[in-house]
């Protein structure tokens, strides 16, 4: 039950915060529609040269430890969506060795695996909502695919993730100490501010504005060669 989950969360050192309005929208969409991996954000890198897999794993764990949002999942209680943030969360980069395959079979398998990973569903109730897959093509060629759910990241966030992954990897692969400063603010801090701000007159003005903007909304009747299905499939 939800109550049991929350009791276990508290015992495991887990903090709870209100979800942002964007996160609430995504939670609702996931409940209403079969969206699959529609809100997955994926990013692939090809590494040339020998890859220090241990340093890469350390880098991911350092990033997950640094950013609370990467240790976040969601829970619904009494009609409200909350962020559930774990105090720590071990992260493992999955590895698949394709180096024994022929060039043709390897290329085909890489494409198949990448497509499957990009579309794979995230359960918003289970952290982490980020995963990494490393494909070994040869001794000196690897492809890394990172997939993250839109509820905890956007395209701008990926630039930070890539920059920090590169920084951590450079440090760990050379056996040097980490020097990135501690973050002064986390995403949960923003959501608390957002929920406190959007109340009273501010909320009333926003509601009035959008009520007026959408008052005369009409359906855009585009000419199509067949009727739209009752249930969207997102295959268009």
């Amino acid at each position: 039950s939800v109550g049991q989950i929350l009791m276990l969360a508290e015992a495991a050192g887990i903090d709870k915060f209100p979800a942002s309005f964007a996160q609430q929208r995504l939670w609702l969409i996931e409940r209403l529609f079969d969206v699959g991996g529609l809100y997955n954000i994926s990013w692939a890198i090809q590494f040339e040269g020998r890859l220090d897999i241990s340093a890469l794993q350390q880098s991911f764990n350092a990033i997950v430890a640094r950013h609370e949002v990467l240790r976040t999942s969601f829970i619904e209680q009494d009609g409200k969506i909350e962020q559930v943030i774990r105090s720590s969360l071990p992260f493992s980069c999955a590895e698949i060795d394709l180096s024994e395959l022929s060039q043709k079979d390897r290329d085909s398998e890489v494409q198949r695996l990448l497509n499957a990973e990009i579309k794979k569903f995230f359960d918003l109730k289970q952290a982490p909502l980020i995963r990494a897959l490393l494909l070994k093509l040869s001794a000196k060629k690897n492809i890394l695919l990172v997939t993250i759910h839109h509820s905890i990241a956007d395209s701008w966030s990926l630039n930070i993730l890539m920059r920090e992954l590169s920084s951590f990897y450079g440090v760990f692969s050379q056996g040097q100490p980490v020097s990135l400063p501690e973050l002064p603010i986390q995403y949960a801090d923003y959501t608390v501010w957002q929920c406190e701000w959007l109340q009273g007159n501010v909320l009333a003005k926003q509601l009035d504005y959008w009520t007026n903007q959408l008052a005369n909304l009409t359906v855009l009747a585009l000419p199509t060669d067949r009727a739209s299905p009752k249930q969207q499939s997102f295959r268009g």
Side-chain angles (χ1 to χ4, degrees):
S1 69
V2 171
Q4 290 174 320
I5 292 174
L6 292 175
M7 289 176 62
L8 289 172
E10 292 173 0
I14 295 175
D15 291 325
K16 297 183 293 297
F17 294 88
S20 71
F21 297 118
Q23 290 172 333
Q24 292 178 40
R25 287 196 298 271
L26 289 169
W27 174 276
L28 180 61
I29 291 171
E30 294 275 0
R31 292 297 172 275
L32 292 177
F33 305 106
D34 181 16
V35 297
L38 185 67
Y39 287 99
N40 290 355
I41 304 172
S42 296
W43 153 60
I45 302 176
Q46 181 165 300
F47 291 95
E48 301 287 347
R50 291 198 176 276
L51 180 66
D52 187 336
I53 297 178
S54 176
L56 182 65
Q57 294 277 17
Q58 283 183 282
S59 301
F60 273 114
N61 274 287
I63 290 173
V64 171
R66 178 173 166 78
H67 297 276
E68 289 181 354
V69 74
L70 299 181
R71 306 192 306 274
T72 296
S73 57
F74 301 90
I75 192 169
E76 182 175 358
Q77 184 181 31
D78 299 327
K80 295 182 179 180
I81 313 305
E82 292 186 314
Q83 298 181 73
V84 179
I85 304 175
R86 297 177 180 272
S87 58
S88 63
L89 184 65
F91 184 86
S92 179
C93 177
E95 302 174 43
I96 299 179
D97 190 346
L98 304 177
S99 60
E100 299 298 323
L101 299 178
S102 67
Q103 180 71 48
K104 180 179 179 181
D105 290 343
R106 186 164 60 241
D107 291 345
S108 176
E109 187 65 2
V110 165
Q111 195 61 53
R112 186 190 70 81
L113 289 169
L114 293 182
N115 287 337
E117 187 70 9
I118 289 169
K119 297 175 183 177
K120 189 185 297 182
F121 175 76
F122 277 108
D123 181 356
L124 298 185
K125 298 186 295 296
Q126 300 292 327
L129 299 177
I130 178 176
R131 55 178 179 258
L133 174 64
L134 183 67
L135 303 179
K136 180 180 179 181
L137 308 186
S138 68
K140 294 186 177 182
K141 184 177 288 187
N142 296 269
I143 293 178
L144 174 68
L145 178 70
V146 179
T147 305
I148 188 166
H149 194 271
H150 191 31
S151 61
I152 63 168
D154 54 19
S155 297
W156 187 77
S157 308
L158 285 188
N159 292 325
I160 297 175
L161 193 152
M162 287 187 284
R163 185 171 66 244
E164 292 192 359
L165 182 63
S166 175
S167 178
F168 278 125
Y169 179 79
V171 167
F172 288 129
S173 62
Q174 297 175 28
Q176 297 177 355
V178 176
S179 60
L180 286 179
E182 184 177 347
L183 294 173
I185 189 170
Q186 298 278 352
Y187 188 73
D189 298 314
Y190 162 74
T191 62
V192 170
W193 168 85
Q194 185 189 53
C195 291
E196 292 177 348
W197 168 72
L198 195 57
Q199 297 184 40
N201 290 334
V202 176
L203 177 59
K205 288 180 180 179
Q206 292 283 333
L207 289 174
D208 288 343
Y209 173 82
W210 286 110
T211 299
N212 292 330
Q213 290 293 313
L214 302 175
N216 298 314
L217 188 66
T218 58
V219 176
L220 182 61
L222 295 173
T224 60
D225 58 354
R226 65 190 70 188
S228 297
K230 293 182 180 180
Q231 180 66 46
Q232 292 187 31
S233 66
F234 302 99
R235 293 175 57 193

